Amino acid sequence: MFRTALRNVLAHKARLLMTVLAVMLGVAFVSGTLIFNDTLSTGYRNQTAKSYAHVDVEARTYDPSDKIPGISGKTLDEIARLDGVAEAAGRVDGIAGVTDKDGRLIGNGSSSLGANFAPGRDGKDPLYVFTDGGGPTGPGQVALDKGTAEKGGYDVGDTVRVALKGPAKTYELSGIFTTDDTWVALGDSLVLFDTPAAQRLFLQPGFSEYVTVTADPGTSSTELAAAIRKLLPDDADVKTGRQLADERAKGGASDASTLSAILLAFAAVALFVSVFLIANTFTMLAAQRTRELALLRAVGASRRQVTRSVLIEAMAVGTVGAAGGLGVGAAMAAVARSTVGVFGAKNPDGPLVVTATTVLVAAVVGVLVTMLAAWLPARRAAKIPPVVAIGSAHLPATTRSLLVRNLFGTLVTLVGAAVVVAGARAGGSLGKGLVGLGAVLVVTGVLVLIPLLSRPVIGVVQPLLWRGFGVSGKLAGQNAVRSPRRTGATASALAIGLTLVSALTVLAATLGQAVDKVTTDIVKADYMVTDSGAGLDTSAVAALRKVQGVTAVSQEQQAWMQIDGSQQDVSGVTPADFEKALRLRVVSGSLGTLATGRIAVADDVARSHGWKVGDTLPVEYADAKSGRLTVGAVFEHNEVVLPVVVSTDVIEPHADTTSITKIYVTTDGSTNEKALATALAGHPGVKIGDRQAIRDEFSGYLDTALNVLYGLLAVSLLIAALGVVNTLAMSVFERQREVGMLRAVGLDRRGVTRMIQLEAVVISLFGAVIGIGVGSFLGWAVGEIVKADIAGYALVLPWGRFALFLLLAALVGLLAALWPARSAARLNMLTAIKTE
């Protein structure tokens, strides 16, 4: 039986090719993700080990209650005098972008770093190696990393503009250096200032954010860390260089976590959809070999042996697919690693890492998925009675088996739909759990019912096929419903993929409309100014106010405070311009009271704490000072402003520095973005967005999620295409005699080709309609759960997107039918008629 199974694999290798490709695709995503993660993790680990090669201990501390911003110079001297300390350097860092000679910011502002040059007794800082010049020695000098200097075209002695909070400042370039710092090695820029200047810019004069310590030879890092900890407050964070390297390696690897999650999602969808293709393939192979299997039974093979022979074929297919998938996965990992650079970062150097675990997982996944998918077809094949099978080339499914299947599918679908509706009404965490459970039941039930649904759904278009394409169309419609099991299994792949994508498309379109409503109803401003790095200050506000045509400039300054015992995020605004830039729906009170020092609170926060207009609440500010504020207005919750709004006059006395996150600009229509950019020419890190950019700012996560799901759709379409090709190829093989008879009675080759193509298109469209229907239902349910938190929520069905999905499904069917249709059209009619 083992030799027979292997011979069958070789005899049907062309028909099994699509199954191998499906398995290979699923395994490729799994193994590729594992290789990608292992490669980056190893690279980050090696890079961070180099980064901390000169650091034995690092100490940090911050006590907001005492307004101590870090480690004082006195404490730094005490650390330096400890036994076993060779060098102790105070470090500060922050955001500092560098512009090129044309004034454009080099790199991403948020990844543009600034730090201090801290030379030791030998005049060198062990963290940096200078290739030209030296470290900064005064407040007017900076040093640049080699990559940034090359991008900006700078040489030692040149004047460099550095973007900090507020207008950019100019410095003399004192030197160019290389460093093993992980983030610089991965593409971030680094500007070095002398220590006093860096402390003034990023912290406070005389204080360091953290201290790096180099130990004397033979000194234990752990013991030295314990000694340093005794000199610092209880909340101090003291770690060895090895601990820091391990933590930073894990943090660095998280840069690729999003891409890894996407790949894993692709793998799950690919493997799930592949199950239907594999099961369909082995079902059809068993049906085509009923006489052969019956003969095996007749000469003494048991049911168990027949089942085992089919599973051996599946194991062989899975093994080949897993091996190919591992190779493709390695190639995908290499591409994914280079893709990270598109998002503004480099990758750590080093080869691809393929571990034994990855190889084992690839093998297990490929073989196990294939054998599980082939198990039911194998059992059905083993149950064929020898006498009946010998007398019939094909054994149709019994009425009872289809009846049981349809009853089971109907029951599961109805129960699942009821659970989904109950979850949508319940809302909250309970609702989410119910909708998730119901979605699994609904999808499972519909997949079971697909053969039953194929006849009525496809029956709707059969008259159109007859009228539009004549005999070929009529035959295509009849062929599509002739074998409901085969049609259902073929359409399942598209149905699954489009269920996922349609659900998110409905949700994204609905939320997108809500965001658009927020943009038009709440944001009245024409432009929004943001900063990609260090933040904005009042000089930017002043510059914008001077632009001709600007009628209002409203800043948003983020802060926090304890209000009535609960910590709240606060938006500090300019009351005079606030209502000209934003239109909040007021539930009670008046936003005009902001000018008198009162606060405005979102309605959901007010309800949860029992606050109402007129209540005077105890407040503790960020500097630990106390006071009392009165609620002057309650407004509808929205995603534009934070839950508590207050005048900047209230929070600025308690803030060390003014950090503005957004500036809304309202105009009379006579100015434009170019005029605003000219006014902010001294702030190279700013971004100016019009109303469309404001909309994108608030809905960017929706577009990202939708693009991810469209990627899943692409995977589903690819596997679905393989399934359609496989099904049609086997169908043509089964129907050789029928095709020959059609040719003999007058149907030409073009008619045969059109018949096969139309059959594929109809089956693909059937799967797409099922997927869109189920996905829309699930998208509605999820929307019902989240609508309480979304202002202006109203269900939207994106008919244009649905039409595009149907068009793509039809295109998939048409392309998948090219090879089977051509094969059918080229059959010799006399040879085909003689085929048994």
Side-chain angles (χ1 to χ4, degrees):
M1 294 300 295
F2 181 77
R3 288 195 299 270
T4 301
L6 294 182
R7 287 196 186 105
N8 282 327
V9 172
L10 295 176
H12 303 101
K13 53 182 177 292
R15 280 179 259 173
L16 290 171
L17 176 62
M18 300 302 169
T19 303
V20 171
L21 290 176
V23 177
M24 185 184 300
L25 189 60
V27 172
F29 279 113
V30 173
S31 59
T33 301
L34 295 176
I35 294 171
F36 177 74
N37 280 333
D38 290 339
T39 299
L40 285 191
S41 296
T42 301
Y44 278 121
R45 188 163 52 250
N46 294 339
Q47 181 61 52
T48 52
K50 292 170 60 180
S51 178
Y52 285 95
H54 301 288
V55 177
D56 292 295
V57 180
E58 181 180 285
R60 295 173 181 261
T61 182
Y62 174 66
D63 188 349
S65 63
D66 293 333
K67 296 192 67 175
I68 298 176
I71 299 175
S72 67
K74 178 182 177 182
T75 304
L76 175 59
D77 291 339
E78 292 176 350
I79 293 174
R81 289 194 295 266
L82 286 173
D83 292 337
V85 173
E87 295 281 356
R91 307 283 180 182
V92 290
D93 55 38
I95 302 297
V98 181
T99 68
D100 60 19
K101 293 183 178 180
D102 295 325
R104 294 186 297 266
L105 198 64
I106 298 174
N108 185 357
S110 60
S111 62
S112 300
L113 310 177
N116 66 308
F117 175 68
R121 287 186 289 270
D122 60 356
K124 297 179 180 179
D125 190 327
L127 299 185
Y128 312 106
V129 177
F130 281 84
T131 59
D132 194 8
T137 57
Q141 292 184 331
V142 295
L144 296 179
D145 69 275
K146 187 176 180 180
T148 301
E150 290 176 349
K151 291 175 184 176
Y154 290 118
D155 295 313
V156 172
D158 287 348
T159 298
V160 178
R161 295 182 74 220
V162 180
L164 301 158
K165 183 164 65 175
K169 298 179 180 179
T170 57
Y171 297 88
E172 178 189 353
L173 182 60
S174 66
I176 298 172
F177 62 89
T178 61
T179 178
D180 289 326
D181 180 272
T182 302
W183 304 133
V184 176
L186 298 179
D188 294 346
S189 66
L190 178 60
V191 187
L192 292 182
F193 302 85
D194 79 321
T195 297
Q199 289 175 339
R200 286 193 302 271
L201 289 170
F202 304 128
L203 199 60
Q204 186 172 311
F207 285 87
S208 300
E209 184 178 349
Y210 61 99
V211 172
T212 57
V213 178
T214 304
D216 287 327
T219 301
S220 168
S221 297
T222 304
E223 294 177 358
L224 187 57
I228 293 172
R229 189 175 285 108
K230 294 177 181 179
L231 300 177
L232 301 173
D234 294 337
D235 63 349
D237 186 19
V238 182
K239 295 177 181 176
T240 65
R242 181 183 294 276
Q243 290 174 323
L244 290 166
D246 291 341
E247 289 182 5
R248 198 158 182 180
K250 293 177 183 177
S254 66
D255 286 352
S257 61
T258 300
L259 189 55
S260 298
I262 293 172
L263 289 174
L264 284 174
F266 284 178
V269 172
L271 290 170
F272 186 58
V273 175
S274 297
V275 167
F276 294 92
L277 189 157
I278 297 165
N280 193 30
T281 300
F282 279 94
T283 297
M284 296 178 67
L285 282 175
Q288 292 173 7
R289 291 159 47 198
T290 50
R291 187 184 294 267
E292 173 190 330
L293 296 174
L295 286 173
L296 289 174
R297 293 288 311 283
V299 297
S302 65
R303 287 185 175 183
R304 182 173 297 178
Q305 286 178 308
V306 172
T307 301
R308 194 180 301 143
S309 70
V310 177
L311 291 178
I312 290 172
E313 295 178 38
M315 183 175 68
V317 170
T319 301
V320 174
L326 182 62
V328 174
M332 289 175 58
V335 173
R337 187 169 65 160
S338 62
T339 303
V340 176
V342 175
F343 300 99
K346 294 181 181 179
N347 292 288
D349 295 330
L352 288 177
V353 178
V354 183
T355 64
T357 301
T358 300
V359 176
L360 180 62
V361 169
V364 170
V365 169
V367 175
L368 191 62
V369 167
T370 309
M371 293 184 70
L372 285 176
W375 181 68
L376 281 177
R379 286 198 64 195
R380 291 197 203 102
K383 290 180 179 180
I384 299 174
V387 175
V388 176
I390 290 173
S392 174
H394 303 289
L395 190 66
T398 64
T399 304
R400 178 179 175 277
S401 68
L402 289 176
L403 178 62
V404 171
R405 174 176 178 152
N406 293 338
L407 288 175
F408 173 76
T410 301
L411 179 63
V412 172
T413 303
L414 291 177
V415 171
V419 173
V420 168
V421 172
R425 291 179 177 176
S429 57
L430 174 62
K432 293 177 184 177
L434 289 175
V435 168
L437 174 62
V440 173
L441 293 175
V442 167
V443 172
T444 302
V446 169
L447 291 177
V448 173
L449 281 177
I450 273 189
L452 175 66
L453 297 173
S454 63
R455 290 184 182 277
V457 174
I458 295 178
V460 173
V461 300
Q462 278 184 312
L464 300 177
L465 293 173
W466 168 252
R467 292 171 188 166
F469 301 96
V471 175
S472 295
K474 183 176 183 179
L475 291 172
Q478 292 174 344
N479 289 334
V481 297
R482 177 191 297 181
S483 177
R485 287 182 185 271
R486 185 170 60 206
T487 298
T490 306
S492 295
L494 270 174
I496 293 169
L498 281 170
T499 294
L500 294 172
V501 175
S502 298
L504 189 72
T505 300
V506 169
L507 193 60
T510 302
L511 295 181
Q513 178 176 275
V515 170
D516 286 338
K517 194 172 183 181
V518 166
T519 305
T520 56
D521 292 356
I522 295 181
V523 180
K524 297 163 61 177
D526 299 298
Y527 299 95
M528 183 172 71
V529 179
T530 57
D531 189 90
S532 59
L536 300 161
D537 68 353
T538 53
S539 64
V541 177
L544 290 169
R545 291 188 189 279
K546 296 177 182 178
V547 177
Q548 186 176 0
V550 171
T551 58
V553 178
S554 178
Q555 67 192 58
E556 182 179 333
Q557 181 176 341
Q558 289 190 1
W560 66 269
M561 60 178 67
Q562 292 278 347
I563 303 178
D564 197 19
S566 65
Q567 182 169 314
Q568 298 291 336
D569 293 322
V570 178
S571 288
V573 301
T574 309
D577 292 328
F578 178 64
E579 292 190 79
K580 297 179 182 179
L582 300 174
R583 184 191 298 112
L584 300 186
R585 293 189 180 89
V586 178
V587 177
S588 59
S590 171
L591 293 176
T593 58
L594 291 173
T596 64
R598 296 195 171 194
I599 63 174
V601 183
D603 54 357
D604 55 342
V605 174
R607 280 195 305 269
S608 64
H609 292 89
W611 300 337
K612 59 183 182 300
V613 173
D615 288 350
T616 299
L617 308 173
V619 174
E620 182 179 332
Y621 297 99
D623 60 356
K625 292 184 178 179
S626 300
R628 299 184 73 84
L629 292 175
T630 301
V631 178
V634 175
F635 60 88
E636 286 188 7
H637 168 82
N638 61 80
E639 301 299 324
V640 178
V641 297
L642 294 173
V644 178
V645 179
V646 66
S647 171
T648 53
D649 294 337
V650 174
I651 61 175
E652 281 186 351
H654 306 282
D656 292 336
T657 58
T658 300
S659 181
I660 300 172
T661 56
K662 297 185 184 74
I663 302 175
Y664 293 101
V665 181
T666 307
T667 71
D668 60 7
S670 63
T671 189
N672 54 32
E673 184 176 331
K674 184 177 180 180
L676 299 181
T678 301
L680 295 174
H683 301 72
V686 301
K687 294 187 294 185
I688 303 173
D690 57 13
R691 293 189 63 80
Q692 181 59 42
I694 295 173
R695 191 264 179 199
D696 294 340
E697 178 80 14
F698 292 114
S699 64
Y701 69 97
L702 293 176
D703 297 333
T704 300
L706 194 59
N707 290 335
V708 170
L709 263 291
Y710 285 160
L712 294 177
L713 172 62
V715 177
S716 298
L717 287 175
L718 178 57
I719 298 179
L722 296 176
V724 174
V725 171
N726 218 21
T727 301
L728 290 177
M730 292 188 175
S731 177
V732 169
F733 179 80
E734 285 182 355
R735 290 151 45 191
Q736 287 188 62
R737 187 171 187 177
E738 174 189 321
V739 172
M741 291 295 294
L742 290 173
R743 291 290 314 285
V745 298
L747 189 65
D748 58 14
R749 289 185 174 180
R750 182 175 299 177
V752 171
T753 299
R754 187 181 299 120
M755 176 185 71
I756 301 297
Q757 289 175 336
L758 289 173
E759 180 181 349
V761 169
V762 167
I763 293 175
S764 298
L765 287 175
F766 165 61
V769 167
I770 297 298
I772 291 173
V774 176
S776 299
F777 173 62
L778 298 180
W780 163 81
V782 175
E784 288 296 301
I785 293 176
V786 303
K787 72 176 183 180
D789 300 323
I790 306 296
Y793 181 92
L795 180 67
V796 175
L797 294 178
W799 297 110
R801 294 284 179 91
F802 289 167
L804 178 61
F805 294 161
L806 291 173
L807 181 62
L808 286 174
L811 183 62
V812 166
L814 192 63
L815 293 176
L818 290 177
W819 174 53
R822 187 165 179 240
S823 299
R826 296 179 64 183
L827 284 174
N828 183 287
M829 68 178 72
L830 296 179
T831 303
I833 290 172
K834 291 189 294 181
T835 302
E836 295 186 6

